[in-house]
Amino acid sequence: MMMYMNDDMLYRFTPDALKYLYVNCSKYLDTYRNPDANFEKILQNAGFTNYREPVSVRFTRSLKLDIPNRVIPRYAELGAIEFYNVLEGMSPRLATDPSLLAYINHFYLHKYGLKRWNVSDDDKKAVKNIHQHWFSYDGKFRSICEQNLAGRTWWIAHTSLMAAHASNGMLASEQILEMFVHTAEYYHRTMQSELLSNYNIMAECLLALFNANSQLGMNSQISTGQYLEMLAAVNREAGGKLLDALERSDLREIVTRVANDTYALDSNRE
Amino acid sequence: MTHDRLLFSHPVLRPDGLDYTASCKFDVNISVKSKNKNIHLDIQYDLTSNFLNDLIQEHRAEYLAVIKCTKTGQRTAYKSENDIRLELDGGEFRDKLQVSTYIVAKQDLAKFHADEHDIEIRGIAENIPTGSILALTNQREILLDKMDGNVQAIIQLSDSLPTDDWSYNIVMNEDLIEIKMNAQAYRATMYLRSRNPKIIFPLLYVPAIENAIRRIKEDNDLDSLWARVIQNAIRSKDIDIDKADPNHIAQKLMEYPYSAIDNLLESSLKDDDVHE
């Protein structure tokens, strides 16, 4: 499955157009299930002469978003960094704008979205699927970065890049992205953790996770439960002190020690 | 994150806390400005504790400001030994910032006791590890001018007016200006807005903004979001608020919406041509 994007200046839906599509999507399920859906026609037929407004974001070149593995569609997100780089002018602020994300989802990612996130044959479930993955109407950060088509793709890339940068060369963004894609719960728990919203702390915890998995080898890996346990233990270390205040070496010492204890690894191994 | 209710195993100077004598205080003043899509924060620490002040002067403790945005998941900490001025990229944040300020230990502190500590807990903590919170203030929330000077976006229409007629009320809330009307009027307005937004601007938005401008002229120190956005917009258009008429200012900020009538006239003339 491939989606090509032109060298386009982007738009966001106007509030009324966004609300109309969100509230009325149950009337247009056939359209939503159609890979060649024409959402502009829906809005024009509903009387919208002005359904979008320009934003300072553009696609700098064409992009292919593939679904390389039909058994595990989320492997498409291995292309997330390319998607991220192609969107010039995007920022965390814009990447949490439901109207911009919905516009990208409807006009650029719809065909890809039908493969990535299935729209159910059951109409009630289909409405829920569409609301979750095409809209994120409530604008909540968690639903945007976990469920939204464009939002998840952008944020999984952004987080990988920012954590890699904060790791000062210890981890590459592709390594982090691969961890997140192969084990989606690593990504979800990382994004949900307030502790890890500081990229330095995130980088140290992901480095500890990566090292632990490397030690365990191909046939085993740290479970989500163990990862969560480690995060909780790091949080307990914080307690009356702020990890944000620590020098990097002290932070790394704490995270490494906690990770070794939690993952029951041999701390003498490199 | 808030640490207001956490218990510590060592004295911490905090609002409504009892660990220090009453004369000791730690507070912060934060002023915010938006400029060229960046956010300028001036953080001024206000500390009256000789003990903690000495620790900072000796480079054994420091101020820490943690700035967080729950909408974009961003959190960054800024260390300093004095007041701090920050320039933040507005693109990193949405809607509001939460600012938490602390004094933290820069190194392990041995024999952490002072005459300023309340007598009941003086000397209870022998060694305080690096990074420990020594003082904190209440968390502050800063609403961001998300609209980048777009005055339309600070106006909210609502259908909550319990009347039978087509009147509307303009209500100046803390953040937004609300134009209230009854449900029928609201539906008609939304329909009209979806087709030609400019039509409702002179009818509703200009009076609302004129109202706001008059309030701003009466009170320069208004801190509401709508006041900040309108003042930014006025400055960006080089309007002298003291000299210009509020109604004219409102029309200029809305880019003379009455000009929309020109489009209507053109369409109407075209329709006439067709019928002939």
Side-chain angles (χ1 to χ4, degrees):
Chain A
M1 177 58 51
M2 298 183 290
M3 172 58 65
Y4 292 94
M5 295 164 213
N6 302 323
D7 183 13
D8 277 339
M9 188 62 76
L10 268 179
Y11 296 85
R12 62 160 69 94
F13 282 126
T14 58
D16 295 332
L18 180 70
K19 190 173 180 180
Y20 179 83
L21 284 176
Y22 180 79
V23 167
N24 294 290
C25 79
S26 56
K27 294 182 195 166
Y28 301 109
L29 289 180
D30 287 344
T31 307
Y32 273 95
R33 290 182 177 119
N34 180 356
D36 298 313
N38 186 339
F39 294 104
E40 184 175 44
K41 199 171 170 189
I42 288 180
L43 290 165
Q44 285 171 344
N45 288 345
F48 285 91
T49 51
N50 177 33
Y51 64 88
R52 64 185 191 179
E53 51 203 30
V55 294
S56 54
V57 183
R58 57 187 281 268
F59 286 112
T60 54
R61 55 184 166 79
S62 295
L63 172 73
K64 283 192 298 182
L65 269 181
D66 282 336
I67 304 281
N69 187 325
R70 288 181 191 278
V71 176
I72 311 178
R74 71 170 184 272
Y75 279 21
E77 280 148 22
L78 291 170
I81 291 178
E82 206 188 331
F83 171 81
Y84 182 94
N85 288 333
V86 154
L87 272 172
E88 184 185 86
M90 197 63 140
S91 64
R93 181 169 171 270
L94 289 170
T96 49
D97 181 347
S99 56
L100 171 58
L101 296 175
Y103 188 89
I104 296 174
N105 293 337
H106 283 76
F107 285 93
Y108 293 94
L109 294 184
H110 179 69
K111 205 178 279 193
Y112 162 76
L114 287 176
K115 291 288 180 179
R116 174 66 184 88
W117 301 99
N118 185 40
V119 174
S120 175
D121 293 331
D122 176 286
D123 286 357
K124 251 186 172 176
K125 286 181 185 170
V127 170
K128 193 177 170 189
N129 294 151
I130 293 164
H131 281 174
Q132 269 180 331
H133 304 306
W134 270 255
F135 283 96
S136 299
Y137 195 72
D138 57 11
K140 286 195 175 146
F141 183 59
R142 186 171 168 177
S143 65
I144 284 172
C145 65
E146 287 184 22
Q147 303 287 339
N148 189 284
L149 259 172
R152 182 189 172 96
T153 314
W154 193 87
W155 277 98
I156 202 171
H158 180 75
T159 306
S160 301
L161 286 160
M162 294 302 289
H165 179 73
S167 77
N168 293 324
M170 301 290 286
L171 276 176
S173 53
E174 290 79 10
Q175 287 173 315
I176 299 171
L177 180 64
E178 217 171 290
M179 269 203 307
F180 284 161
V181 172
H182 284 130
T183 310
E185 279 303 302
Y186 287 165
Y187 170 64
H188 296 159
R189 301 303 179 179
T190 298
M191 300 308 280
Q192 289 162 23
S193 165
E194 187 178 328
L195 177 74
L196 302 190
S197 56
N198 177 316
Y199 284 119
N200 289 340
I201 302 173
M202 183 193 290
E204 293 302 330
C205 290
L206 290 177
L207 179 61
L209 177 65
F210 180 83
N211 287 340
N213 278 333
S214 298
Q215 273 196 41
L216 290 172
M218 293 282 287
N219 297 322
S220 187
Q221 68 169 11
I222 299 295
S223 69
T224 310
Q226 285 176 298
Y227 180 49
L228 276 179
E229 212 180 299
M230 194 211 80
L231 295 183
V234 171
N235 212 5
R236 280 196 294 276
E237 283 281 329
K241 62 183 175 214
L242 284 172
L243 297 180
D244 308 73
L246 298 180
E247 292 300 318
R248 200 57 186 269
S249 53
D250 293 334
L251 176 63
R252 179 161 302 162
E253 187 269 318
I254 287 173
V255 172
T256 305
R257 175 169 44 78
V258 169
N260 288 339
D261 289 344
T262 310
Y263 301 148
L265 295 171
D266 180 356
S267 57
N268 291 323
R269 285 178 67 177
E270 291 280 326
Chain B
M1 82 203 123
T2 57
H3 285 89
D4 303 28
R5 299 195 183 161
L6 266 189
L7 296 175
F8 295 87
S9 58
H10 59 269
V12 173
L13 177 56
R14 52 176 151 176
D16 304 324
L18 301 173
D19 295 354
Y20 279 70
T21 56
S23 60
C24 296
K25 285 197 185 351
F26 177 48
D27 204 350
V28 66
N29 294 311
I30 303 175
S31 62
V32 186
K33 281 182 190 148
S34 291
K35 196 175 176 186
N36 299 328
K37 300 192 179 180
N38 287 341
I39 300 164
H40 293 245
L41 283 188
D42 273 341
I43 300 177
Q44 293 175 315
Y45 295 106
D46 183 10
L47 173 66
T48 47
S49 159
N50 291 330
F51 172 65
L52 291 175
N53 207 35
D54 287 344
L55 284 177
I56 293 171
Q57 296 305 315
E58 292 162 10
H59 310 298
R60 297 162 68 201
E62 59 191 348
Y63 296 113
L64 187 80
V66 179
I67 295 173
K68 191 174 85 165
C69 177
T70 54
K71 285 284 188 173
T72 59
Q74 312 295 296
R75 185 172 111 215
T76 314
Y78 298 90
K79 302 177 187 178
S80 68
E81 290 181 351
N82 293 297
D83 298 343
I84 193 169
R85 175 168 286 177
L86 301 172
E87 187 172 330
L88 307 175
D89 180 353
E92 295 290 313
F93 313 105
R94 167 175 287 281
D95 290 357
K96 68 181 174 190
L97 297 178
Q98 289 162 331
V99 183
S100 303
T101 45
Y102 308 88
I103 297 173
V104 295
K106 272 184 89 167
Q107 55 187 239
D108 293 347
L109 301 174
K111 295 184 182 167
F112 185 75
H113 35 90
D115 292 342
E116 288 173 358
H117 293 160
D118 183 82
I119 195 158
E120 287 191 9
I121 56 167
R122 203 173 291 168
I124 62 163
E126 275 300 310
N127 297 304
I128 311 294
T130 306
S132 293
I133 296 169
L134 306 178
L136 59 92
T137 63
N138 288 324
Q139 190 178 77
R140 303 294 169 89
E141 267 192 7
I142 296 169
L143 288 173
L144 298 175
D145 293 343
K146 53 192 172 178
M147 283 62 83
D148 298 328
N150 179 357
V151 294
Q152 299 166 39
I154 49 154
I155 295 176
Q156 182 182 48
L157 302 176
S158 76
D159 60 356
S160 56
L161 196 63
T163 58
D164 295 327
D165 57 39
W166 284 70
S167 62
Y168 62 83
N169 286 355
I170 298 171
V171 178
M172 316 303 283
N173 292 323
E174 183 66 33
D175 294 341
L176 303 177
I177 301 170
E178 192 181 359
I179 302 178
K180 291 187 180 186
M181 57 193 75
N182 70 22
Q184 188 183 7
Y186 178 78
R187 277 195 301 274
T189 304
M190 296 306 280
Y191 178 84
L192 200 59
R193 192 171 87 164
S194 70
R195 273 137 190 83
N196 195 337
K198 279 203 160 187
I199 294 298
I200 63 163
F201 290 166
L203 292 173
L204 293 175
Y205 284 32
V206 167
I209 293 170
E210 179 188 348
N211 197 31
I213 293 168
R214 289 189 189 283
R215 292 278 292 268
I216 290 167
K217 285 177 71 132
E218 285 166 14
D219 183 356
N220 268 339
D221 290 328
L222 280 174
D223 197 34
S224 56
L225 181 63
W226 56 260
R228 293 202 303 270
V229 172
I230 289 175
Q231 282 170 319
N232 283 344
I234 288 173
R235 271 193 294 270
S236 71
K237 289 193 186 293
D238 290 321
I239 299 171
D240 185 340
I241 191 174
D242 293 320
K243 289 185 179 162
D245 176 73
N247 182 270
H248 288 172
I249 297 176
Q251 290 183 54
K252 188 167 183 179
L253 293 184
M254 298 299 304
E255 292 175 8
Y256 304 107
Y258 196 62
S259 61
I261 203 169
D262 200 31
N263 292 334
L264 273 184
L265 186 64
E266 254 188 55
S267 317
S268 167
L269 286 173
K270 276 187 189 152
D271 286 345
D272 287 346
D273 288 342
V274 167
H275 286 306
E276 281 172 12

